Amino acid sequence: MSFGPQTPQRPLPGTFLKTPAASRQVSASNPTDPFGPLYPSLPKSNDQITISKDASLPLGQPAPAPTTTEGETLKPIERAARVINETLIQESRFPELDSYVGQGISSDYDIVTSPAWAPFQSSKSYEIPERIFEQYNQAQVSTLMGLFASYNLAWITIDNALYLWDFTRPNPELSGFEDQPNSITAVNLLKPKPGVFLPAISHILAIATTAEIVLVGLSFDLSASGTRSINLYQTKMALSVKGMHVNLIQGSSASGRIFFTSKGDNDVYELTYQQEEKWFYNRCAKVNHTARGLASLTPSLTFRQRTSEHPVQMVIDDSRDLLYTLSSSSGIRTFYMTPPNGLEFTIDRSLSEIFSNIGHMTSRTELLAPGVYIVSIQAISANEATKLHLMATTSTGCRLFMSATAASSFLSGSVSGKPTSMQVQHIKFPPPRAGTQSVQTNSPGQRGPYQGPAVDTASKALANTRMARRFPPGYFFCFVPNAHKNTTDSIFVSAPDSGRINRPHDLSQVRMTAYQEQAMWLPLESRAEDVGVLSPPFGASSRPAGFGNELAIQFDMPSSEFAILTNTGIHTYRRRRLVDMFASAIRHRSGEETVEADVKKFIRLYGRGETTATALAVTCGQGQDVTADSRVARIMDPDVIEAAWRTFIEYGGKPVLNEDSVIDQTALTIDNVRPSPRHDGIALYISRLVRSIWKAHVVLESTSPTGGLAVKSSVSSTKLLDIQRDLTKLQDFLEANRSFIDGLAGPESLLRVSTRQDEIALQAEHRALHALLVLVSSIIEGISFVLVLFDERVEEILLSIADTTRQQVRNLSFEGLFATAAGKDLAKELVKAIVNRNIANGANVDTVAEALRRRCGSFCSADDVIIFKAQEQIKRAQEAGGTSDFGRRLLNESLRLLQQVAGSLSMEHLNWAIDQYLAMQFYAGGIQLALNVAKETDRGNRALAWINDGRPLPDARQNAFAARQSVYRLIHRIIVILDDVSRNVPQTLDGNLTDAATRRNEANHVIDNSNDEVFQFTLYDWYLEQGWADRLLGIQSTYVASYLQGKAKQSLAHADLLWRYFSQQSRYFEAATVQLQLAKSDFAISLEKRIEYLSKARANASTSSAGIDRVSRQALLREVSELLDVANIQDDLLARLRNEPRLKAQPEREAQVLQQLDGKVIGLTEVRFTPPPLPSLVILEANPRVKLYNNYADQASYYDICLLIYQAADHRNTAHIGGTWQNLIEQVHAKALRDGQPQPYEAIAEKVRSLGSRLGLSENTFPIPILLPLLERYSYEHQRDVAPPEWVIDIFLDLHAPPETLLASLESIYFNDEAPFRGRNRRPIATDIVRLCRRWYSDTKRSPNGPFGGDLDETVRVSETLGVLLKDNVGAGAGTGAGAGAGAGADDAALIERCRTLRDAVDQHLR
């Protein structure tokens, strides 16, 4: 931001302590900035700019790239749009007039002598019609001449006649007003008040004569050829001014008020007019706003003494509601216009007061000495400056810039309100006279803020100035009589050098921008009568900041053109743009060295960015020049184009890495790179081409005269075509010269880089340039789309779309259309509406769509054409009937077309198509289309990879899955609808499938045969969510097993479904495997359920399965059986512990122990045997690592379960096993005694039988040689005379124990003669031997091989054993002891007899 100089120390009357205030440029931090914040910019090293640390940023410098990671996430077109917005922001921050025309003095001119650099150029000359000269020669009293330049009209009064003609037309037709006899004294063309005249009357001619002021209506008619004709209307409005000599007439364009002055006084009058006469009011009247009382109404009767001072110029500033007059004595008066008819006289400054006011600004100079007068004043509107209001030009050519504000408004920066003070803010002295030295006559303290070149305050180059005009944004025309011929004028013309003002290039201009002007002398060879501007009013912005930026609009608006009326004709001059001067400089130079010098001068003055933008514009044909036949033509000379091309390529600069923003050199990113000036130049050129449409709305809605909707484009088609043509040239140029432009040359340009920094910079340059190319292409096609849109009946199209969409279209700007996804989507909606409208009108969809695709392909691509065709097929199918054969063919064709463009089919189109398919019962087609769309949305199958990886979060692949799932939901919807339709419909009719069944089978076929694994998985998930597990198990697809196998790892329900699915598919081996895994899993499954799984697994493993070899099946069966045995043991242990009194005394421990056992099967791999502990559970701990034996069965003294564990663990320690059996017998005996029933021997017999059966008579865990003696000893010691004599051997016989083993064990007891079986105590053993042998003989004697299995050795052995018993007379010996009675003797005799009888039978077989 630039600030004005400080006010001088000594107080001055009429000034303010802070005059002028800080420049009101829009800062980057201004929250009201319509474009948003701008990144801070730094000077470029290759522009050789030096700025102090606290200086404001030169506004011409482009912003650097952002240093955040945001740039990495922007799409190319979004990044380019951001660059364009930032460039437009910079362009809008062109310094306002107050910032470079601040308090002080200056005389900075660049006097151009070379035609190539001339700021203005003679364009055309028009002669005054001969009929005018004929009338002029007949003049008797007076003549006046002037221009209404903005309408290409010249006028002349000859006595009582007024003639107007369009001077731009050859042989123009004169329009005359001759219907009154009085001499004309003043004429002006004004805007009337609204509603007073007919709508056709756009202007009124105010014609003052010596007797009255007449108002004549005027309108313009345009012919088909573009020529304009004038129509005059009699309004019957006239105001008598007899006794007055009206010399000035001015009107307010905003309010239509008319003011006039007279040579007889210094007053300001107003001509009031109305449509009809009213009481006390005529149609026209006059009001004197400077006189009071009766004199204001009847000035002709006033008795005031007339003075010679009178107004010579009157200027109206509608932007501030101010009226200024310049008197014949150079006094300036200011009036404030108040609505509706007020005019307050507020300020009166005489010439002496004005000169006194500027005494502190400069030392005494002849240019502002007595005798100097003011020749003209011009208002400076509020749009152009905040504080400056008026410019007065003296007869010596000095320009006085003045402010006229109230104290409160001045300090606050307001531009409205009644002013109370006027002071000079700046003096612009004339340029030095040609061939003379500049003379500095002011002290350094008087030079103002610039501290730059000396100010020449004594130049008389513009002495004797007789007329001067200023036009926005500062074009200055000064007419000076030629010294050698006083009847002719020379014109000094100057204009602000926008490029240099916007870009100060030395320290003296940093804090305060200098008022740089380009100037030249134009020979006229005649006397000027009037000057006016032919082109529309200048204004690069509607506010002071940015208003004067000529560079910004040089490609967007026509160059300013001016007309000068002389006594010999009308001469027009054209303001040359910077691009024109650059092209002309190249054209008029000879040799590369001179061209290079001009280019370097250009860079020094305007910077590389502006230079590359200008050179690029020249190569694209933007340079213009006036030809010999006075035409303005583009400069297309090959040598000029080539030189501009070379400038763009060779002087484009390089991207710069901002190393200050990089802390770690290893963290270099392209976001820390500022693109090259070449990039900035391209961005400048693009932004200047599109600036007028970028923020404009695409459509403007209004109400038609009939009350309907009227829609028009906010930008004319001609303007759009011009922009499109220029952008197309730019695109062609950049594409054709890719290989010469770093950043567009391709990968091979990386071969020329030498450092990592250069590589990063080049990558950033490529990203930035590529983004601009993408944007250019988008703009070109976007304009084509708008042109296509307005070729149609836009009203009908907008009415055919949804209200929300129509509102979005109303709010759509060209920027949104060109650079946002939402804008593209809206455009596609409009394209769809266009196609639908044309189809409805009978047009062929191919013709319409192809035309759209050819003109704006990105809005109507080849895929869009196919979609339109498919939609047409669907609509035809609706007309034909979706269930008919022809309708079904049309639906199949639409499906084929939509499948071709599945990748670009939007969800809206997909939903619409599926809705139509459902309405016509095309269920299979809807499912197939959705499957294709889902597949195309994730062609890399990232969703499946995410699923296979366990669905980690967060993960970018989840978005791909979500996109596919949104499509799959449509299939789920189809399935629900299909089920509802077919639920109550029979599947067959007369043995044939019904239509509903056929549709259902078609849909199921598409679903079951889909190879989209993600779809199948999501479908199965959905089935289970609906509770359709049986439906899932009935699917014949390999994906079911894969799905369930993947889910079974984390879900018990899915694992349970998996083995059920395998069983239904007769895949028993896989079912058994899953059941085994379930039994071994960590799921919360009870032990009972695990045993159930193992039991079913054993059954399935025992069943043959196709493709499974016997070895694998047997291995699985063995594993299942072993685990089932352990599970059963654990189940026994669990059941025992549930009723364990010792454990119930410890509830918490009980809960822990039962929880551990009622779950996963505990392994036996770490069985450790320790000496039997005390019969207590004190050391029982709930440790998850404990095993069944060590921490449960053994510690709890569950000896029967310990034996089962030995069996399962294949434990063979005889001592341990024997000890366990001993403990078991004792435990059972003790329990039976405590309980009282059954008899102890009965309890022991039952326990042994049970364990023998479960242990399978294992020789390890059911060792007969150990167990039989234990039982015999127990029987003798504890059950003698209580239990039956043969109860022990009967236990083993009931278990079908091997007889030979039993016999061997009994023989060992009998013959060992160990206590207690000695002597007669051996009788129980003998009894068991006889019982065993008789049973063995009885069971085998009828076998084919004979008794004892035909084994001769065993037969001999039995015979010998029986013989020993008979020899020992075991029965008698046993019965001779004390206590033997008659009963005992009888038993012994029976035993001996049985023994003898058996031996005889055995011996008989031996014979």
Side-chain angles (χ1 to χ4, degrees):
M1 182 177 290
S2 301
F3 294 91
Q6 296 182 355
T7 305
Q9 297 300 318
R10 55 191 176 93
L12 301 172
T15 61
F16 301 91
L17 295 179
K18 294 185 179 180
T19 304
S23 170
R24 303 184 66 80
Q25 298 176 28
V26 181
S27 67
S29 60
N30 185 359
T32 62
D33 189 340
F35 294 98
L38 177 67
Y39 292 99
S41 179
L42 297 174
K44 295 189 176 181
S45 58
N46 50 9
D47 284 349
Q48 299 179 355
I49 301 176
T50 304
I51 299 180
S52 62
K53 184 176 181 180
D54 60 344
S56 298
L57 175 69
L59 297 174
Q61 295 300 320
T67 58
T68 66
T69 58
E70 177 189 1
E72 296 291 346
T73 60
L74 290 177
K75 295 179 180 178
I77 198 167
E78 295 172 339
R79 183 177 296 109
R82 185 178 66 178
V83 171
I84 296 302
N85 279 319
E86 291 171 356
T87 305
L88 289 173
I89 291 172
Q90 292 176 352
E91 296 271 79
S92 70
R93 291 175 178 170
F94 182 87
E96 60 182 276
L97 186 63
D98 300 306
S99 67
Y100 57 89
V101 187
Q103 189 174 23
I105 61 175
S106 65
S107 62
D108 300 314
Y109 295 93
D110 183 6
I111 305 297
V112 177
T113 57
S114 169
W117 293 94
F120 291 88
Q121 185 178 32
S122 176
S123 179
K124 291 183 179 181
S125 294
Y126 303 95
E127 295 181 352
I128 297 176
E130 288 295 330
R131 292 178 55 192
I132 296 296
F133 286 112
E134 294 174 1
Q135 296 292 333
Y136 180 78
N137 292 332
Q138 300 176 9
Q140 299 178 358
V141 180
S142 64
T143 59
L144 299 173
M145 297 180 67
L147 291 172
F148 303 136
S150 56
Y151 305 101
N152 296 338
L153 293 179
W155 61 269
I156 187 171
T157 64
I158 303 175
D159 295 336
N160 66 328
L162 168 67
Y163 300 100
L164 300 95
W165 72 95
D166 185 345
F167 58 82
T168 61
R169 294 176 58 185
N171 301 316
E173 178 182 354
L174 294 181
S175 296
F177 177 75
E178 304 170 328
D179 296 341
Q180 57 85 33
N182 304 303
S183 297
I184 297 174
T185 59
V187 176
N188 207 346
L189 183 64
L190 309 173
K191 283 277 190 179
K193 290 181 180 179
V196 175
F197 302 103
L198 296 174
I201 298 177
S202 59
H203 296 77
I204 53 175
L205 275 171
I207 305 171
T209 68
T210 56
E212 60 182 358
I213 299 177
V214 181
L215 300 184
V216 178
L218 183 145
S219 67
F220 296 99
D221 289 338
L222 287 176
S223 65
S225 60
T227 58
R228 182 164 50 187
S229 59
I230 301 173
N231 299 314
L232 299 180
Y233 300 87
Q234 181 61 256
T235 65
K236 298 182 180 180
M237 288 188 179
L239 174 68
S240 174
V241 290
K242 290 183 179 180
M244 303 175 64
H245 189 285
V246 177
N247 63 333
L248 298 174
I249 301 177
Q250 278 293 345
S252 169
S253 298
S255 63
R257 298 172 66 179
I258 301 174
F259 302 95
F260 63 93
T261 63
S262 168
K263 285 187 177 181
D265 52 43
N266 202 24
D267 296 335
V268 175
Y269 300 88
E270 180 175 3
L271 187 157
T272 62
Y273 58 101
Q274 57 190 16
Q275 191 173 21
E276 297 178 353
E277 292 186 0
K278 297 181 181 179
W279 287 99
F280 305 107
Y281 294 100
N282 295 325
R283 296 183 68 186
C284 293
K286 66 175 179 290
V287 178
N288 187 338
H289 287 287
T290 51
R292 294 294 180 265
L294 182 65
S296 66
L297 299 175
T298 57
S300 59
L301 301 179
T302 181
F303 299 99
R304 296 180 297 161
Q305 181 179 0
R306 295 182 180 271
T307 63
S308 60
E309 184 180 15
H310 63 274
V312 294
Q313 188 179 0
M314 182 164 48
V315 178
I316 293 178
D317 181 1
D318 280 321
S319 66
R320 294 187 173 94
D321 294 326
L322 296 179
L323 181 148
Y324 306 98
T325 62
L326 174 65
S327 71
S328 56
S329 59
S330 296
I332 299 177
R333 307 172 88 186
T334 305
F335 299 83
Y336 180 60
M337 296 185 292
T338 59
N341 298 313
L343 186 70
E344 298 183 36
F345 177 32
T346 61
I347 304 173
D348 186 0
R349 287 287 183 269
S350 66
L351 182 62
S352 60
E353 289 176 326
I354 294 173
F355 284 176
S356 175
N357 178 242
I358 63 178
H360 71 286
M361 300 175 66
T362 180
S363 58
R364 183 175 179 82
T365 171
E366 293 182 3
L367 301 183
L368 298 174
V372 176
Y373 58 92
I374 297 176
V375 297
S376 68
I377 57 173
Q378 276 77 43
I380 300 174
S381 71
N383 296 334
E384 189 175 359
T386 303
K387 307 197 183 317
L388 296 179
H389 291 59
L390 190 71
M391 189 196 82
T393 306
T394 68
S395 58
T396 55
C398 294
R399 284 175 278 171
L400 311 180
F401 291 89
M402 311 174 74
S403 65
T405 59
S408 59
S409 65
F410 192 87
L411 293 174
S412 64
S414 173
V415 298
S416 61
K418 180 174 65 175
T420 59
S421 175
M422 175 180 285
Q423 55 277 329
V424 177
Q425 295 296 315
H426 187 88
I427 304 173
K428 184 78 171 187
F429 284 94
R433 186 183 295 272
T436 64
Q437 291 280 345
S438 296
V439 179
Q440 178 182 350
T441 61
N442 59 306
S443 62
Q446 298 169 327
R447 283 161 50 194
Y450 308 115
Q451 304 301 321
V455 177
D456 188 351
T457 61
S459 172
K460 296 183 179 181
L462 301 181
N464 301 320
T465 295
R466 67 176 191 84
M467 184 173 66
R469 293 289 186 273
R470 180 190 183 275
F471 303 99
Y475 304 135
F476 178 59
F477 288 79
C478 186
F479 298 87
V480 181
N482 288 319
H484 61 280
K485 189 176 181 181
N486 198 35
T487 57
T488 62
D489 291 330
S490 290
I491 309 174
F492 174 78
V493 58
S494 66
D497 192 342
S498 299
R500 296 173 67 185
I501 291 173
N502 196 32
R503 181 185 176 273
H505 58 280
D506 59 52
L507 284 174
S508 66
Q509 300 172 12
V510 171
R511 288 193 57 83
M512 183 70 177
T513 306
Y515 188 8
Q516 300 283 349
E517 286 188 293
Q518 295 173 317
M520 63 181 298
W521 288 90
L522 294 174
L524 195 57
E525 301 302 331
S526 56
R527 181 178 177 84
E529 299 293 338
D530 198 3
V531 58
V533 59
L534 299 173
S535 54
F538 181 91
S541 172
S542 59
R543 57 184 182 177
F547 180 89
N549 194 351
E550 291 183 275
L551 303 182
I553 63 170
Q554 58 181 330
F555 311 125
D556 182 52
M557 296 177 64
S559 298
S560 296
E561 193 168 1
F562 306 90
I564 299 175
L565 174 65
T566 69
N567 54 1
T568 60
I570 301 167
H571 309 278
T572 61
Y573 294 88
R574 172 178 170 269
R575 166 64 167 151
R576 299 181 75 198
R577 305 170 301 169
L578 191 63
V579 64
D580 301 334
M581 289 186 277
F582 182 81
S584 181
I586 296 176
R587 175 189 255 181
H588 290 85
R589 296 297 181 185
S590 59
E592 294 186 3
E593 293 182 359
T594 54
V595 171
E596 183 177 359
D598 283 336
V599 170
K600 290 181 178 179
K601 173 186 176 182
F602 210 89
I603 294 174
R604 185 178 66 256
L605 294 177
Y606 305 111
R608 288 184 182 270
E610 191 65 54
T611 301
T612 53
T614 306
L616 179 61
V618 172
T619 59
C620 293
Q622 291 286 357
Q624 296 179 350
D625 201 1
V626 178
T627 62
D629 56 354
S630 300
R631 290 184 302 105
V632 178
R634 293 180 180 264
I635 299 177
M636 300 300 296
D637 300 0
D639 55 341
V640 174
I641 300 299
E642 182 180 356
W645 174 87
R646 187 179 300 109
T647 301
F648 176 78
I649 298 298
E650 296 179 359
Y651 293 92
K654 295 182 178 181
V656 178
L657 178 65
N658 186 2
E659 298 183 0
D660 293 338
S661 63
V662 180
I663 300 176
D664 184 2
Q665 289 297 315
T666 62
L668 297 176
T669 64
I670 57 179
D671 290 321
N672 296 318
V673 176
R674 183 171 60 232
S676 67
R678 182 185 296 108
H679 163 271
D680 299 336
I682 297 174
L684 266 177
Y685 182 57
I686 296 173
S687 67
R688 289 169 179 175
L689 290 177
V690 303
R691 69 181 304 274
S692 61
I693 68 171
W694 187 251
K695 295 294 182 180
H697 286 112
V698 176
V699 300
L700 294 178
E701 288 189 7
S702 60
T703 303
S704 65
T706 60
L709 176 66
V711 182
K712 66 177 182 179
S713 173
S714 63
V715 182
S716 68
S717 59
T718 303
K719 180 68 174 178
L720 292 174
L721 286 171
D722 289 342
I723 295 173
Q724 186 183 50
R725 181 186 63 249
D726 292 336
L727 287 174
T728 301
K729 290 180 179 180
L730 171 63
Q731 184 184 47
D732 294 342
F733 170 79
L734 294 177
E735 290 291 344
N737 293 276
R738 277 181 172 270
S739 58
F740 303 101
I741 302 173
D742 288 341
L744 292 180
E748 60 271 12
S749 60
L750 291 174
L751 301 176
R752 298 192 293 268
V753 300
S754 57
T755 65
R756 174 62 177 165
Q757 288 82 352
D758 291 344
E759 181 182 354
I760 293 295
L762 188 60
Q763 291 173 355
E765 181 79 356
H766 168 74
R767 184 180 72 170
L769 292 179
H770 171 70
L772 291 177
L773 275 177
V774 172
L775 179 61
V776 168
S777 177
S778 178
I779 296 174
I780 292 172
E781 288 201 354
I783 291 176
S784 293
F785 164 73
V786 174
L787 295 173
V788 169
L789 178 64
F790 284 96
D791 284 344
E792 303 286 333
R793 292 189 59 84
V794 188
E795 294 83 0
E796 294 181 6
I797 293 172
L798 291 184
L799 290 174
S800 68
I801 60 180
D803 291 340
T804 55
T805 305
R806 183 166 45 178
Q807 184 60 42
Q808 292 172 349
V809 173
R810 292 192 194 103
N811 298 331
L812 179 65
S813 66
F814 281 94
E815 176 193 5
L817 175 65
F818 298 152
T820 65
K824 300 281 186 182
D825 293 340
L826 275 179
K828 290 183 178 181
E829 284 295 322
L830 292 173
V831 167
K832 179 181 176 181
I834 292 173
V835 174
N836 290 337
R837 176 181 173 275
N838 281 274
I839 292 174
N841 292 337
N844 183 272
V845 66
D846 290 337
T847 304
V848 176
E850 183 60 29
L852 288 170
R853 190 186 67 81
R854 186 174 58 253
R855 296 184 64 179
C856 44
S858 63
F859 299 97
C860 183
S861 62
D863 288 351
D864 293 330
V865 175
I866 294 176
I867 293 173
F868 295 144
K869 291 180 180 178
Q871 291 174 337
E872 184 183 34
Q873 298 296 321
I874 292 174
K875 291 181 180 178
R876 291 178 61 193
Q878 289 174 331
E879 297 171 356
T883 57
S884 65
D885 291 342
F886 181 63
R888 190 62 53 167
R889 285 197 297 271
L890 291 173
L891 288 175
N892 284 322
E893 176 62 16
S894 71
L895 175 61
R896 184 187 68 81
L897 293 171
L898 291 175
Q899 285 178 312
Q900 292 179 14
V901 295
S904 59
L905 202 63
S906 67
M907 283 299 296
E908 182 180 359
H909 284 118
L910 178 60
N911 275 296
W912 180 87
I914 288 180
D915 286 343
Q916 304 306 312
Y917 286 165
L918 287 174
M920 291 180 278
Q921 300 181 12
F922 192 39
Y923 307 112
I927 294 172
Q928 187 62 63
L929 176 59
L931 289 173
N932 282 94
V933 171
K935 182 178 180 180
E936 290 299 320
T937 57
D938 181 25
R939 302 187 68 178
N941 224 359
R942 300 172 71 233
L944 180 60
W946 181 66
I947 293 174
N948 292 337
D949 290 345
R951 308 189 181 201
L953 292 176
D955 195 303
R957 295 173 296 179
Q958 184 184 10
N959 296 330
F961 174 79
R964 295 179 73 159
Q965 193 169 28
S966 64
V967 178
Y968 296 147
R969 291 193 186 99
L970 298 176
I971 300 178
H972 301 165
R973 175 184 164 217
I974 295 173
I975 293 173
V976 171
I977 293 175
L978 181 57
D979 287 348
D980 292 340
V981 170
S982 59
R983 180 175 292 112
N984 299 322
V985 178
Q987 299 298 302
T988 60
L989 186 65
D990 297 332
N992 298 320
L993 289 175
T994 61
D995 289 342
T998 301
R999 304 284 184 258
R1000 184 183 185 90
N1001 291 341
E1002 290 174 352
N1004 289 336
H1005 178 76
V1006 173
I1007 292 173
D1008 294 342
N1009 288 275
S1010 171
N1011 59 0
D1012 187 344
E1013 195 168 351
V1014 180
F1015 161 68
Q1016 297 289 1
F1017 287 176
T1018 56
L1019 178 67
Y1020 302 154
D1021 282 337
W1022 182 69
Y1023 278 168
L1024 296 179
E1025 290 173 2
Q1026 307 303 311
W1028 297 345
D1030 293 339
R1031 186 170 190 169
L1032 173 63
L1033 297 178
I1035 297 175
Q1036 301 292 329
S1037 173
T1038 57
Y1039 293 115
V1040 177
S1042 299
Y1043 166 77
L1044 292 175
Q1045 285 170 343
K1047 293 282 188 177
K1049 298 176 183 178
Q1050 290 85 26
S1051 171
L1052 174 60
H1054 288 87
D1056 198 62
L1057 286 173
L1058 179 60
W1059 72 261
R1060 290 174 57 190
Y1061 176 77
F1062 283 142
S1063 295
Q1064 288 192 14
Q1065 301 296 319
S1066 299
R1067 298 166 62 178
Y1068 302 112
F1069 181 84
E1070 289 92 336
T1073 302
V1074 175
Q1075 289 164 337
L1076 174 61
Q1077 292 172 349
L1078 275 172
K1080 297 166 62 176
S1081 70
D1082 293 329
F1083 290 126
I1085 306 175
S1086 67
L1087 182 60
E1088 181 183 4
K1089 190 67 176 179
R1090 294 177 189 269
I1091 294 174
E1092 179 185 344
Y1093 284 138
L1094 290 171
S1095 300
K1096 292 179 179 178
R1098 184 164 61 182
N1100 286 324
S1102 302
T1103 306
S1104 299
S1105 298
I1108 305 299
D1109 60 274
R1110 183 176 181 182
V1111 174
S1112 299
R1113 189 160 50 86
Q1114 289 297 328
L1116 177 63
L1117 180 61
R1118 181 170 58 253
E1119 183 180 359
V1120 171
S1121 299
E1122 291 176 353
L1123 189 60
L1124 179 59
D1125 291 341
V1126 176
N1128 285 326
I1129 295 171
Q1130 185 172 331
D1131 186 54
D1132 291 342
L1133 183 60
L1134 177 63
R1136 191 79 58 85
L1137 287 172
R1138 280 175 175 161
N1139 299 314
E1140 176 59 59
R1142 293 172 295 175
L1143 195 58
K1144 289 189 179 295
Q1146 306 174 60
E1148 294 183 1
R1149 186 73 54 78
E1150 179 187 26
Q1152 294 177 358
V1153 171
L1154 296 181
Q1155 182 180 5
Q1156 290 179 8
L1157 289 175
D1158 192 14
K1160 191 173 181 180
V1161 179
I1162 298 176
L1164 301 172
T1165 56
E1166 296 181 9
V1167 176
R1168 299 187 305 274
F1169 296 96
T1170 58
L1174 296 175
S1176 170
L1177 292 183
V1178 176
I1179 63 171
L1180 185 63
E1181 296 291 340
N1183 186 340
R1185 293 191 173 203
V1186 298
K1187 303 300 177 180
L1188 290 179
Y1189 177 85
N1190 301 85
N1191 296 87
Y1192 294 102
D1194 188 42
Q1195 292 192 37
S1197 299
Y1198 296 156
Y1199 301 115
D1200 52 348
I1201 295 178
C1202 289
L1203 291 171
L1204 294 174
I1205 293 175
Y1206 295 160
Q1207 173 73 10
D1210 195 22
H1211 184 62
R1212 303 190 181 191
N1213 189 309
T1214 306
H1216 289 166
I1217 296 172
T1220 303
W1221 274 109
Q1222 178 67 42
N1223 292 334
L1224 177 63
I1225 294 170
E1226 293 175 358
Q1227 187 182 56
V1228 175
H1229 174 78
K1231 184 176 183 301
L1233 289 178
R1234 287 194 308 270
D1235 296 343
Q1237 62 175 355
Q1239 291 292 333
Y1241 78 88
E1242 292 177 344
I1244 290 174
E1246 180 60 30
K1247 178 62 70 175
V1248 173
R1249 285 190 185 94
S1250 174
L1251 286 174
S1253 177
R1254 292 188 65 177
L1255 295 175
L1257 300 179
S1258 170
E1259 62 181 9
N1260 296 322
T1261 55
F1262 196 83
I1264 294 175
I1266 296 175
L1267 182 58
L1268 185 57
L1270 286 176
L1271 291 174
E1272 291 290 358
R1273 182 179 295 109
Y1274 168 78
S1275 177
Y1276 181 82
E1277 294 177 351
H1278 297 284
Q1279 300 298 319
R1280 186 172 47 184
D1281 300 331
V1282 177
E1286 298 172 350
W1287 71 276
V1288 174
I1289 195 63
D1290 284 343
I1291 294 173
F1292 293 96
L1293 290 176
D1294 291 343
L1295 290 173
H1296 302 288
E1300 59 273 17
T1301 304
L1302 294 173
L1303 181 59
S1305 298
L1306 290 174
E1307 286 177 345
S1308 175
I1309 299 171
Y1310 185 86
F1311 292 118
N1312 285 342
D1313 195 24
E1314 295 179 354
F1317 300 108
R1318 291 179 178 176
R1320 60 181 182 168
N1321 293 339
R1322 293 183 297 173
R1323 183 181 182 280
I1325 305 302
T1327 301
D1328 287 346
I1329 292 175
V1330 173
R1331 169 72 172 167
L1332 171 64
C1333 291
R1334 288 184 67 190
R1335 179 72 173 270
W1336 191 3
Y1337 176 76
S1338 175
D1339 291 342
T1340 59
K1341 67 180 180 178
R1342 291 183 176 85
S1343 66
N1345 296 327
F1348 311 113
D1351 189 342
L1352 183 59
D1353 292 338
E1354 290 296 334
T1355 305
V1356 172
R1357 178 184 174 188
V1358 171
S1359 176
E1360 289 177 352
T1361 302
L1362 292 174
V1364 172
L1365 294 179
L1366 290 174
K1367 181 180 177 181
D1368 289 345
N1369 194 16
V1370 63
T1376 60
D1387 291 338
D1388 293 340
L1391 175 63
I1392 293 173
E1393 182 60 28
R1394 289 195 301 273
C1395 182
R1396 184 179 291 110
T1397 301
L1398 180 58
R1399 186 184 181 200
D1400 292 342
V1402 173
D1403 288 346
Q1404 186 178 359
H1405 284 285
L1406 290 175
R1407 299 188 187 99

